[in-house]
Amino acid sequence: MDKQNLEYITFGGGCFWCVDSVLDLLKGVESTTSGYAGGHKENPTYEEVCTGDTGHAEVVQMTYDPQIISYEQLMDVFFFLHDPTQLNRQGEDIGTQYRSVIFYKDDAEKAKAEEAMKISEASGKYSTKYVTEITKLEKFWPAEQYHQGYYEANPTQPFCSAVVGPKVAKFKKHYGELGMLKPE
């Protein structure tokens, strides 16, 4: 990849272990970092974010090559990975830290995020209105090192085997059929 043309995107769709575990599989994705954004606490810790008091969401920031994978394709992936109609939760994970959120860098990216959400919502995949926030990215805080690549390092951990593993399998099947995955 041409490192000079790389872009980044930051979004949250529930537990970052679930989101981060698949994004690196996509062609055009250079790297992913689990972290926190959207809150008021400087340099938050996982334990602080889990209380729901920091205002932060668990997010993944991804660096990608837009000549290989487009912002619009990444938005399709985002809406595939979670249920954007669940307010402040994903499955059994409940709290504002698990909210559905897209962070944008500038007005042009905000417009693309709004359009992507409108298209996804119009698809009829979900019967209720989306609650995804579209918010300006003020600051991204990387999560602690043990959260980076958590699923890959801990596939037999109970949450990973029960929740993350099936999501990874579903993701690989869908995006593999579309030819969007890196060769293994």
Side-chain angles (χ1 to χ4, degrees):
M1 283 188 233
D2 182 355
K3 304 250 189 242
Q4 294 179 332
N5 293 323
L6 296 179
E7 295 284 334
Y8 71 90
I9 185 171
T10 306
F11 52 66
C15 171
F16 49 34
W17 296 346
C18 293
V19 177
D20 178 60
S21 62
V22 295
L23 296 176
D24 280 321
L25 303 174
L26 292 166
K27 290 178 184 173
V29 173
E30 169 87 3
S31 66
T32 61
T33 304
S34 292
Y36 316 108
H40 52 80
K41 171 87 171 67
E42 296 284 312
N43 202 25
T45 66
Y46 180 68
E47 290 74 21
E48 291 169 333
V49 171
C50 284
T51 68
D53 295 335
T54 67
H56 288 290
E58 287 190 16
V59 298
V60 174
Q61 188 167 86
M62 174 183 12
T63 304
Y64 70 99
D65 185 337
Q67 295 177 0
I68 298 172
I69 188 166
S70 69
Y71 183 90
E72 291 75 15
Q73 287 172 306
L74 292 172
M75 285 291 95
D76 180 67
V77 168
F78 170 73
F79 288 115
F80 179 87
L81 288 175
H82 77 297
D83 181 346
T85 68
Q86 292 189 353
L87 183 62
N88 297 328
R89 73 177 300 158
Q90 284 299 304
E92 299 303 312
D93 291 330
I94 300 170
T96 57
Q97 67 271 29
Y98 300 114
R99 67 189 178 270
S100 176
V101 58
I102 302 166
F103 289 97
Y104 63 88
K105 298 183 292 285
D106 54 33
D107 289 341
E109 195 171 88
K110 178 182 180 186
K112 288 198 276 187
E114 290 170 341
E115 181 64 18
M117 188 163 86
K118 192 183 317 177
I119 289 168
S120 183
E121 199 167 22
S123 75
K125 179 179 178 183
Y126 298 98
S127 60
T128 55
K129 185 162 178 49
Y130 284 24
V131 296
T132 302
E133 294 177 18
I134 299 176
T135 304
K136 174 94 170 149
L137 180 64
E138 300 297 331
K139 177 73 177 166
F140 170 79
W141 302 96
E144 296 81 352
Q145 188 56 42
Y146 73 92
H147 289 296
Q148 309 307 327
Y150 189 86
Y151 171 73
E152 291 77 14
N154 302 281
T156 59
Q157 188 262 9
F159 181 82
C160 288
S161 60
V163 178
V164 185
K167 284 187 177 200
V168 170
K170 180 180 172 186
F171 180 88
K172 283 182 170 181
K173 180 176 182 344
H174 181 75
Y175 287 98
E177 290 172 357
L178 295 175
M180 292 178 63
L181 300 182
K182 295 173 185 169
E184 288 190 45

